[in-house]
Amino acid sequence: MLKYISNKLEDPNFPLLGPNIKALKFWGLILPEISSKKWMYIAFHLSVIIFTATEYAEIWFVKKDMNLLLTNVKITLLATVSVGKVISFLIWQNNWKSIIDYVNEADKTQRQILNSDKRAIIENYTKYSRKITYYYWLLMYMTVVFVICQPFYKYISSEIYRESVRNGTGGYTEVVSSWVPFNKSTIAGYMMASLYQSYAAIYGGGWITSFDTNAIVIMVFFRGELQSLRMDCSNIFGTENSVVTREEARLRLEICHKRHLNLVKYSRMFDSCLSPIMLLYVIVCSVMLCATTYQITFETSALQRFITVEYLIFGVAQLFMYCWHSNEVFFVSKDLSLGPYESIWWTRELSEQKDIKILTEQFKKPIVFSAGPFSEITVATFISILKGAYSYYTLLSQSQEN
């Protein structure tokens, strides 16, 4: 069954990005060409954006309850990031399509080369991309299922909660805390609100998974392309046992030069599309991790603590995967300049050695992705965010004790 589903997600036209492209189209981040379907997806997007606004409105009504306030704030901020992702993707849709087309064409070009070492690189990053995509989807929808089901589970498992609902001393537990223009303390109102909240949670989860896995797989490709380029640079002049002609070496050098120019061009375009979202991500994750850690410490319900822990794991995983894969691209790009010097350059004429020197200088500037103009997306940044979140948590805990 799982193999059948995974095969259905593959696309021979997109050997690397197949599942990611289908997810982007299914959740409407890549809008269809047919006008009716296009406006249908825009209506879906607007409905979830409006729902996010109602989450902000609800903050006013729950501000006196610290636990409800923190729960609302962390979910609302995550929803804000999701809205930012989809809006940015729609605004810069042409840029994203250009990046996807470049990745797809460059990937397919390398797949046609019958080189065992290069094919090993391609197979490794393809398998890795599938694992990242499917595990991320699983983690996201486990979180969504827990969030949707926890009110019903609480009602079934807690006799005290059921009694408080029946005698009117306690309210219904919502899927996601949000404001609605009707009375949600009645059964009918609560069910209507829960349906809307569940729909928004599922659709928002689709936004997050499709955007994040696409961006992360593109980062994985950049790393693989850098590794492949370094390998080709080391073979510009052939080997000591199989030396190539001057004309062939010149052609290989020009191909490496052009590949690197395209790699830099599209990595910068990718960074320009991703950077504003990552800046928002860094700010939101700091607050969200702080709030979630605080709730785990003071939560008395085992179910709520489990859901909060799972939510914390998902929040940390989201940020970590961006920082880790950006970090890998950065360090592989720093080593790219070693590629030309791994060739047999010392056996060539002085003019060819000068060409190698020029190519090496071109490779020296590393590729690094950023979170706005303030910081780079690296593992060091991730650790700094965790330290900052812990500091906020300590401050919040001490203020509550006082």
Side-chain angles (χ1 to χ4, degrees), residues 8-248:
K8 294 292 287 185
L9 290 170
E10 296 295 334
D11 186 342
N13 295 320
F14 295 92
L16 176 64
L17 291 169
N20 308 99
I21 297 297
K22 289 191 176 182
L24 289 170
K25 290 181 177 179
F26 181 81
W27 294 109
L29 273 74
I30 294 180
L31 293 172
E33 299 295 331
I34 302 173
S35 181
S36 58
K37 290 185 177 180
K38 179 179 178 179
W39 286 106
M40 178 187 71
Y41 273 115
I42 291 174
F44 288 160
H45 296 333
L46 288 174
S47 66
V48 180
I49 292 171
I50 291 170
F51 176 80
T52 303
T54 67
E55 290 183 283
Y56 277 100
E58 184 70 4
I59 292 176
W60 174 261
F61 297 100
V62 300
K63 62 181 184 295
K64 294 181 179 179
D65 187 323
M66 177 58 74
N67 191 44
L68 284 177
L69 178 62
L70 290 176
T71 300
N72 185 280
V73 166
K74 71 181 185 182
I75 294 177
T76 301
L77 289 176
L78 185 59
T80 302
V81 175
S82 301
V83 168
K85 286 176 181 178
V86 72
I87 291 176
S88 69
F89 200 98
L90 294 176
I91 291 174
W92 295 314
Q93 182 125 139
N94 290 336
N95 285 350
W96 277 109
K97 286 182 177 179
S98 296
I99 295 165
I100 290 170
D101 288 341
Y102 158 72
V103 170
N104 188 47
E105 290 303 317
D107 174 64
K108 288 200 292 187
T109 299
Q110 294 305 308
R111 288 175 188 270
Q112 294 171 0
I113 299 173
L114 300 177
N115 181 300
S116 59
D117 293 332
K118 187 170 289 189
R119 290 193 68 84
I121 292 174
I122 294 170
E123 289 175 4
N124 286 336
Y125 74 61
T126 302
K127 290 179 181 178
Y128 182 77
S129 297
R130 292 296 182 272
K131 289 179 180 179
I132 284 289
T133 298
Y134 296 144
Y135 287 149
Y136 193 92
W137 290 358
L138 178 63
L139 180 60
M140 176 70 235
Y141 279 101
M142 281 176 60
T143 306
V144 170
V145 168
F146 286 145
V147 169
I148 292 174
C149 293
Q150 56 96 10
F152 306 103
Y153 180 82
K154 184 177 179 180
Y155 187 84
I156 294 171
S157 62
S158 175
E159 185 177 348
I160 297 174
Y161 172 65
R162 287 199 303 271
E163 187 60 31
S164 67
V165 170
R166 287 169 187 165
N167 60 30
T169 58
Y172 294 104
T173 300
E174 297 180 70
V175 173
V176 178
S177 182
S178 66
W179 175 84
V180 290
F182 51 81
N183 185 4
K184 57 184 178 182
S185 62
T186 64
I187 294 178
Y190 173 71
M191 293 303 295
M192 289 177 62
S194 294
L195 287 173
Y196 188 26
Q197 292 163 0
S198 299
Y199 156 75
I202 294 170
Y203 207 79
W207 281 355
I208 293 173
T209 52
S210 55
F211 183 96
D212 286 353
T213 53
N214 177 66
I216 290 167
V217 169
I218 288 174
M219 287 184 182
V220 171
F221 166 78
F222 283 139
R223 183 196 66 189
E225 178 70 356
L226 285 165
Q227 291 173 329
S228 176
L229 181 56
R230 177 177 173 176
M231 184 182 297
D232 287 343
C233 288
S234 68
N235 197 40
I236 286 176
F237 302 117
T239 63
E240 293 185 41
N241 297 326
S242 179
V243 179
V244 301
T245 64
R246 181 186 180 90
E247 291 73 19
E248 176 64 21

Side-chain angles (χ1 to χ4, degrees), residues 343-390:
S343 67
I344 54 171
W345 60 272
W346 66 87
T347 65
R348 310 298 287 194
E349 296 179 4
L350 183 60
S351 61
E352 292 179 295
Q353 293 181 17
K354 287 181 178 179
D355 289 339
I356 286 295
K357 176 64 175 176
I358 293 171
L359 186 64
T360 304
E361 290 299 318
Q362 176 187 327
F363 289 171
K364 280 187 177 179
K365 188 172 183 180
I367 296 172
V368 61
F369 304 119
S370 60
F374 304 109
S375 65
E376 298 173 347
I377 311 172
T378 61
V379 173
T381 304
F382 174 75
I383 294 171
S384 298
I385 292 169
L386 292 184
K387 289 180 178 179
Y390 181 75

Side-chain angles (χ1 to χ4, degrees), residues 278 281-282 285-286 288-289 312-327 369 371 375-390:
M278 291 310 302
Y281 230 146
V282 167
C285 278
S286 298
M288 188 180 72
L289 295 178
L312 177 64
I313 292 171
F314 175 68
V316 172
Q318 275 187 299
L319 184 60
F320 176 74
M321 283 198 289
Y322 274 107
C323 292
W324 177 264
H325 293 98
S326 176
N327 196 76
F369 304 119
S375 65
E376 298 173 347
I377 311 172
T378 61
V379 173
T381 304
F382 174 75
I383 294 171
S384 298
I385 292 169
L386 292 184
K387 289 180 178 179
Y390 181 75

